[in-house]
C-alpha cells in the first residue's frame, strides 16, 4: 500500500513538473485523454470509423517521417510498405486462415523485407533520383498485382478479411491505443542515439562518415523501421476495411503521406500525426460538397504552407512557448524569465 502511494506521488510530481509546465505537453496530454474518452461520450459509428482510419493513417504518416524526415532519404513511394503489409496480411488471413493478430505483424515483417529491397539499391542515390526511384516501386508492385489476379484478386483486390474485433468500441480502442503506442515508440526512437544519427545523416552525411559511423547501416535501418510501422498500418487498414486492393499502392497514397508530413512539420513525428488528425477529418467533413472537396483541401494546404513554411506544429509551438537563449530550455510564452536558469526571455 505504501509502495502504491509512493508511485502515485511520483507520477503526480512528474506530471506536475514535466507536463503542466509547457502548453505543448498539456495539448498532447489532452489529445491522449480526449481520444481515450470519446467512446464514453458518444458511440456514433461514423465518427468512430473516421477516428479509426485517422489513427491508421497517423501511423503511416509518422513512419514516413521516421525515414524521410529524419534521415533525409526522400521516399515518394511510401505506399509500397503500406500495400505490402495490407496484401501480405490479407493473403495470410484468406489463404492460410491465420487470425488477424498473427497476420498484421507478419505483414509488417514482409514490409521490412520490402524496405531492404528498396533500401539497398537506393543507398547511392540522393534527392531527385532517390525520390523518382522510390516512386517506381509501388507502381511495379501494382503491375504484379494486376498480372496475378488469381492470387491477388486483380483490380478487385482480396476481400472478406476478418476484423481484429467485431465490437465497435473494441475496434476503436485497439486502433487508437496502438496508434498512441506506436507513434510514441517512433518518437522515442528519434529521441535516442539512433535518432540523433538519423538526424546527423540528413544534415551532413559526409561528416557522419568521417566520424567513423557506418551511414549505410543506419540508412538501411531507417528503411526497415519505416517499413515495419507502415506495414503495421497497412495490415490494420486491410483488416478494418476487410479488403486489400490496388488503392493501397496508388501514387496518390504516396503523395498524400508526403503532404501530411510537410503540412505538420517534418522531422518531428508529432507534426505528421497532428496533420492527419486535422486533414483527414476535414476531407470527410467537406464530403458534403463533393464538387469543391479537392479545391478546399488544396487551398487549406497551400495557405498553411505559404504562411507556415516549416509546418503547422512549430508555428503553434513558437506562439505559445519561448526558448531560453542561454540553456535552450522552453518555457511558456507568458514568462519573462527562463524557468530553469532565470535568464531573461525578452
Amino acid at each position: 500500500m505504501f509502495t502504491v502511494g509512493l508511485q502515485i506521488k511520483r507520477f503526480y510530481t512528474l506530471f506536475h513538473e514535466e507536463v503542466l509546465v509547457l502548453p505543448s505537453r498539456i495539448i498532447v496530454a489532452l489529445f491522449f485523454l480526449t481520444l481515450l474518452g470519446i467512446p464514453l461520450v458518444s458511440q456514433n459509428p461514423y465518427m468512430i470509423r473516421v477516428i479509426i482510419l485517422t489513427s491508421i493513417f497517423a501511423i503511416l504518416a509518422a513512419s514516413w517521417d521516421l525515414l524521410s524526415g529524419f534521415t533525409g532519404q526522400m521516399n515518394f513511394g511510401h505506399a509500397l510498405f503500406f500495400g505490402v503489409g495490407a496484401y501480405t496480411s490479407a493473403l495470410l488471413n484468406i489463404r492460410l486462415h491465420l487470425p488477424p493478430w498473427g497476420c498484421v505483424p507478419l505483414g509488417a515483417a514482409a514490409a521490412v523485407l520490402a524496405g531492404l529491397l528498396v533500401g539497398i539499391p537506393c543507398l547511392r542515390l540522393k534527392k531527385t533520383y532517390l525520390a523518382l526511384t522510390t516512386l517506381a516501386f509501388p507502381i511495379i508492385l501494382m503491375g504484379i498485382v494486376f498480372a496475378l489476379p488469381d492470387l491477388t484478386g486483380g483490380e478487385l483486390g482480396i476481400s472478406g478479411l476478418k476484423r481484429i474485433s467485431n465490437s465497435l468500441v473494441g475496434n476503436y480502442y485497439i486502433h487508437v491505443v496502438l496508434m498512441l503506442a506506436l507513434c510514441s515508440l517512433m518518437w522515442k526512437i528519434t529521441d535516442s542515439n539512433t535518432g540523433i544519427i538519423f538526424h546527423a545523416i540528413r544534415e551532413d552525411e559526409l561528416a557522419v562518415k568521417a566520424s567513423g559511423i557506418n551511414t549505410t547501416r543506419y540508412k538501411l535501418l531507417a528503411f526497415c523501421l519505416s517499413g515495419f510501422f507502415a506495414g503495421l498500418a497497412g495490415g490494420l487498414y486491410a483488416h478494418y476495411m476487410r479488403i486489400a486492393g490496388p488503392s493501397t499502392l496508388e501514387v496518390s497514397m504516396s503523395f498524400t503521406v508526403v503532404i501530411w508530413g510537410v503540412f505538420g512539420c517534418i522531422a518531428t513525428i508529432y507534426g505528421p500525426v497532428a496533420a492527419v488528425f486535422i486533414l483527414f477529418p476535414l476531407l470527410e467533413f467537406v464530403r458534403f460538397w463533393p464538387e469543391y472537396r479537392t479545391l478546399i483541401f488544396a487551398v487549406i494546404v497551400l495557405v498553411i504552407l505559404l504562411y507556415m513554411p516549416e509546418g503547422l506544429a512549430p508555428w503553434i509551438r513558437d506562439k505559445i512557448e519561448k526558448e531560453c537563449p542561454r540553456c535552450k530550455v522552453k518555457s511558456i510564452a507568458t514568462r519573462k524569465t527562463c524557468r530553469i536558469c532565470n535568464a531573461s526571455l525578452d
Side-chain angles (χ1 to χ4, degrees):
M1 193 67 180
F2 175 75
T3 306
V4 174
L6 188 63
Q7 292 299 326
I8 292 174
K9 186 178 179 182
R10 283 180 180 173
F11 176 77
Y12 173 76
T13 305
L14 182 71
F15 187 78
H16 186 265
E17 296 181 358
E18 295 295 330
V19 176
L20 297 183
V21 292
L22 287 178
S24 60
R25 294 178 186 175
I26 295 173
I27 291 172
V28 172
L30 289 175
F31 175 70
F32 274 56
L33 293 174
T34 302
L35 278 182
L36 295 175
I38 282 177
L40 304 177
V41 179
S42 170
Q43 295 184 7
N44 182 294
Y46 178 69
M47 184 178 69
I48 295 288
R49 179 181 181 276
V50 170
I51 296 176
I52 288 175
L53 290 175
T54 306
S55 299
I56 293 171
F57 289 130
I59 299 170
L60 180 65
S63 69
W64 177 84
D65 195 34
L66 182 63
L67 172 63
S68 299
F70 279 87
T71 66
Q73 304 296 299
M74 193 53 67
N75 182 7
F76 274 14
H78 204 61
L80 172 74
F81 304 136
F82 190 70
V84 167
Y87 268 101
T88 304
S89 191
L91 286 170
L92 291 171
N93 185 238
I94 294 297
R95 308 289 181 190
L96 301 181
H97 306 291
L98 292 180
W101 280 111
C103 298
V104 174
L106 290 173
V112 171
L113 289 177
L116 282 173
L117 291 174
V118 173
I120 290 172
C122 292
L123 286 175
R124 295 182 181 276
L125 301 176
K126 295 182 183 301
K127 297 181 180 178
T128 309
Y129 301 103
L130 175 64
L132 292 176
T133 305
T134 53
L135 180 61
F137 283 98
I139 298 173
I140 293 170
L141 184 58
M142 188 181 286
I144 295 172
V145 165
F146 288 144
L148 301 171
D150 293 338
L151 179 67
T152 62
E155 294 181 357
L156 299 177
I158 304 170
S159 58
L161 277 66
K162 289 183 180 177
R163 279 190 168 158
I164 294 176
S165 170
N166 292 322
S167 161
L168 181 73
V169 176
N171 258 319
Y172 177 88
Y173 277 114
I174 287 169
H175 290 86
V176 166
V177 170
L178 273 176
M179 183 275 294
L180 294 175
L182 293 174
C183 291
S184 298
L185 178 60
M186 282 187 265
W187 177 79
K188 196 65 182 172
I189 290 172
T190 60
D191 199 39
S192 66
N193 289 337
T194 302
I196 292 170
I197 294 173
F198 285 170
H199 203 91
I201 289 173
R202 188 190 69 174
E203 295 297 322
D204 193 340
E205 186 176 348
L206 192 61
V208 178
K209 279 183 180 176
S211 65
I213 294 173
N214 187 337
T215 57
T216 301
R217 189 176 66 182
Y218 278 95
K219 285 195 288 187
L220 271 180
L221 176 63
F223 267 103
C224 292
L225 284 173
S226 180
F228 176 76
F229 290 111
L232 282 179
L236 291 172
Y237 178 82
H239 283 283
Y240 181 69
M241 300 300 288
R242 302 193 66 201
I243 185 170
S247 62
T248 58
L249 293 165
E250 285 180 347
V251 173
S252 60
M253 173 67 80
S254 295
F255 282 120
T256 304
V257 175
V258 178
I259 290 171
W260 285 331
V262 176
F263 183 92
C265 180
I266 61 172
T268 55
I269 297 296
Y270 60 82
V273 173
V276 177
F277 270 87
I278 292 170
L279 294 178
F280 189 78
L282 176 70
L283 267 178
E284 288 296 319
F285 178 72
V286 296
R287 196 181 287 277
F288 297 109
W289 301 282
E291 62 273 24
Y292 301 115
R293 191 171 179 234
T294 306
L295 178 64
I296 293 171
F297 177 78
V299 168
I300 290 172
V301 172
L302 286 174
V303 168
I304 291 294
L305 296 183
L306 182 64
Y307 292 99
M308 306 167 196
E310 293 184 357
L312 181 64
W315 185 85
I316 294 175
R317 189 187 58 209
D318 291 344
K319 292 293 180 187
I320 58 179
E321 294 175 358
K322 288 180 184 175
E323 185 178 87
C324 175
R326 183 191 294 172
C327 66
K328 305 300 180 186
V329 171
K330 288 187 177 295
S331 301
I332 187 169
T334 52
R335 282 186 67 98
K336 300 296 181 187
T337 58
C338 174
R339 62 189 171 92
I340 300 297
C341 66
N342 216 30
S344 174
L345 296 177
D346 294 329

